[in-house]
Amino acid sequence: MRLVMLGPPGAGKGTQGQRLSERFNVPQLSTGDMLRAAVKAATPVGLAAKNVIDAGGLVSDDIVIGCVQERLSQEDAKRGFILDGFPRTISQAAALDELLNSSQHRLTAVVELLVDEELLLDRVQKRAQEALDRGATPRSDDNPETMRQRLASYAESTAVLSNFYYNQGRLVSIDGMRDVDQVTADILEALT
Ligand code: ADP
């Protein structure tokens, strides 16, 4: 199973991606998580990415493609993966196709979560509040100002991927406004 999760920030890619990862027993690869780990560890990638992430922009294609390429070459990703947060640009999508082609693989499907964008700001604020309630630190980019910019980055660079994958015949569009379990059930049904 080789899946890409597509959708704006706060759409539920991470939540659904994790469930699909357990269901299909393949790793969930989140470029957001990879980049946040790099920021925390203050690696060269992390240092280059931190300000961009906090501004709600997109980290450069070179950096992100490098991270994904390295991660996909690891043993546990050989049987499949759930990509969450990648690709986010047409160049990243083309690089992914090339990477998969070179190992004679292709994407099984691209799962697009359709959501009402006006509600995303609320969802992300809720996620930040839940972190605070747990005594954890919210993500530095889960604040209204950065979230607006993340939505703008999505509209500008990522939304076109829906057409890109539709044209490849790989797009599966799912109503992401239903409850979490129902969304999972809808995805599984669409994939079988
Ligand atoms: P969300 O999908 O909720 O916005 P992510 O955890 O996927 O959150 O990403 C957080 C941030 O990390 C993004 O706003 C962006 O700055 C950076 N990022 C993650 N994945 C990519 C990518 N594929 N290309 C460029 N930047 C990325």
Side-chain angles (χ1 to χ4, degrees), residues 126-144:
K126 198 170 141 227
R127 179 160 78 191
Q129 188 57 50
E130 281 166 0
L132 286 171
D133 293 346
R134 286 197 306 274
T137 311
R139 276 170 46 173
S140 60
D141 59 348
D142 271 353
N143 61 70

Side-chain angles (χ1 to χ4, degrees), residues 9 13 31-32 35-36 57 59 64 85 88 92 127 139 150:
K13 302 183 297 290
T31 43
L35 293 169
R36 279 186 289 277
V59 176
V64 184
R88 254 180 164 89
Q92 292 178 16
R127 179 160 78 191
R139 276 170 46 173
R150 283 157 61 201

Side-chain angles (χ1 to χ4, degrees), residues 59-71:
V59 176
S60 80
D61 287 336
D62 285 357
I63 290 184
V64 184
I65 291 167
C67 292
V68 169
Q69 184 165 16
E70 189 192 312
R71 186 62 187 85

Side-chain angles (χ1 to χ4, degrees), residues 116-129:
D116 181 346
E117 297 223 3
E118 283 165 21
L119 297 179
L120 294 175
L121 211 59
D122 291 346
R123 279 197 182 183
V124 165
Q125 267 163 327
K126 198 170 141 227
R127 179 160 78 191
Q129 188 57 50

